[in-house]
Amino acid sequence: TEIPIQPINQEVPSNSNSLTIAAWNLQIFGQTKANNLTLMEAYTDIINDYDIIFIQEIRDESGTAFEKLCASLPEYDCHISQRAGRSSSKEQYGLFSRKGITITHIVDYTQGFQNIFERPPYSVTFTQNNYTFTATTIHIKPDDAENEIKELERVISSNGNQIILGDLNADCSYFKRDTEFVDWYWLIDDTEDTTTGPTDCAYDRIIFNHEMSLEIKGHGMDRSITPSMSDHYLVYATIQTEETK
């Protein structure tokens, strides 16, 4: 069955029967950026366009940078993962979920999976209009992308409605698709460029399993993002929250 996918754009179609879910690597989000009023206003304006958004590359030992961003978005519930990383550089994932969207389960894979992933995945199960799906975000280690993506397929269940989104470093010298997630659908094509700088790589991806395929109604990336905000564009998908039979 052909999947009805809209072309890459900056439109964010949303209504009571749909959700827009996004992922964005904020490039070393910590105290420096959190104390920059102009940047924080830009981040707030962009995040406010989405119903669910995962933030990646939070590097702030104090934990207050994400709290500041959360405080600027009172219409959202905020969650943050444990700090992860094998070196002195630790990262966290942040989640903004618009109030009214039910979160039924969170799995932070940091404990027990640090030997497999530099930054283990973070999975959240949502329910809206009796439609339930699980979204997993991960920031794949560039130099180990092939192995980590293989392990991700082994760790994440393919049962139920599953979507994976984030900075998978899944292109250019780090990764070439071969046998990984071949039964899943890759929304962001290999030919796309999800970076704001001079590189031309589809590092940021959205992939989903067959059970969720008919509920994906569109996708895109925000190309208005500037290098001062991040070296990555935000990527998103629109999900119909009434399951298609």
Side-chain angles (χ1 to χ4, degrees):
T1 303
E2 184 178 352
I3 302 171
I5 298 300
Q6 298 174 0
I8 294 287
N9 55 59
Q10 293 180 27
E11 299 291 325
V12 187
S14 182
N15 55 52
S16 60
N17 296 322
S18 70
L19 292 173
T20 54
I21 179 170
W24 191 12
N25 182 327
L26 283 190
Q27 190 188 14
I28 314 178
F29 180 73
Q31 288 300 312
T32 300
K33 287 187 171 180
N35 291 326
N36 184 318
L37 181 59
T38 301
L39 272 184
M40 290 292 277
E41 288 179 348
Y43 291 149
T44 300
D45 287 344
I46 290 172
I47 290 170
N48 197 51
D49 285 336
Y50 301 90
D51 297 306
I52 298 166
I53 179 168
F54 290 95
I55 298 300
Q56 299 181 313
E57 210 167 288
I58 300 170
R59 296 187 193 172
D60 176 35
E61 189 173 359
S62 72
T64 60
F66 183 73
E67 291 177 358
K68 289 178 182 177
L69 189 55
C70 181
S72 68
L73 291 153
E75 295 181 356
Y76 289 80
D77 293 320
C78 306
H79 301 268
I80 192 165
S81 72
Q82 299 177 62
R83 299 179 73 229
R86 302 188 190 109
S87 68
S88 59
S89 177
K90 310 292 185 185
E91 293 185 11
Q92 290 170 283
Y93 305 117
L95 167 65
F96 293 93
S97 176
R98 201 179 297 278
K99 292 184 183 299
I101 300 171
T102 301
I103 293 177
T104 58
H105 195 53
I106 296 178
V107 180
D108 188 335
Y109 288 88
T110 301
Q111 297 300 321
F113 288 86
Q114 191 76 65
N115 62 323
I116 300 174
F117 303 100
E118 178 75 19
R119 296 165 287 261
Y122 184 71
S123 295
V124 183
T125 301
F126 302 91
T127 297
Q128 179 81 346
N129 297 337
N130 296 317
Y131 179 76
T132 298
F133 68 97
T134 298
T136 298
T137 196
I138 188 169
H139 182 193
I140 293 288
K141 182 180 180 180
D143 295 338
D144 200 25
E146 183 175 343
N147 289 331
E148 286 201 4
I149 292 172
K150 286 180 184 295
E151 289 295 332
L152 183 65
E153 185 173 19
R154 182 181 67 82
V155 169
I156 300 303
S157 173
S158 60
N159 298 321
N161 300 305
Q162 301 283 343
I163 185 167
I164 298 171
L165 67 171
D167 181 3
L168 274 60
N169 278 301
D171 198 12
C172 292
S173 63
Y174 300 139
F175 177 79
K176 296 296 180 185
R177 274 198 284 166
D178 183 17
T179 60
E180 298 81 15
F181 288 100
V182 293
D183 294 327
W184 292 54
Y185 300 91
W186 293 65
L187 272 187
I188 308 296
D189 191 77
D190 294 347
T191 61
E192 291 294 339
D193 178 13
T194 67
T195 67
T196 63
T199 52
D200 186 358
C201 301
Y203 288 146
D204 304 85
R205 300 296 188 120
I206 303 173
I207 60 178
F208 55 95
N209 66 349
H210 180 74
E211 289 189 47
M212 200 166 179
S213 61
L214 293 179
E215 281 75 65
I216 304 292
K217 295 303 177 184
H219 74 284
M221 69 178 75
D222 187 342
R223 291 192 176 93
S224 71
I225 291 165
T226 63
S228 64
M229 299 180 198
S230 174
D231 55 353
H232 290 259
Y233 291 131
L234 173 154
V235 295
Y236 71 85
T238 303
I239 303 167
Q240 177 178 299
T241 54
E242 291 181 340
E243 194 159 9
T244 303
K245 303 298 183 183

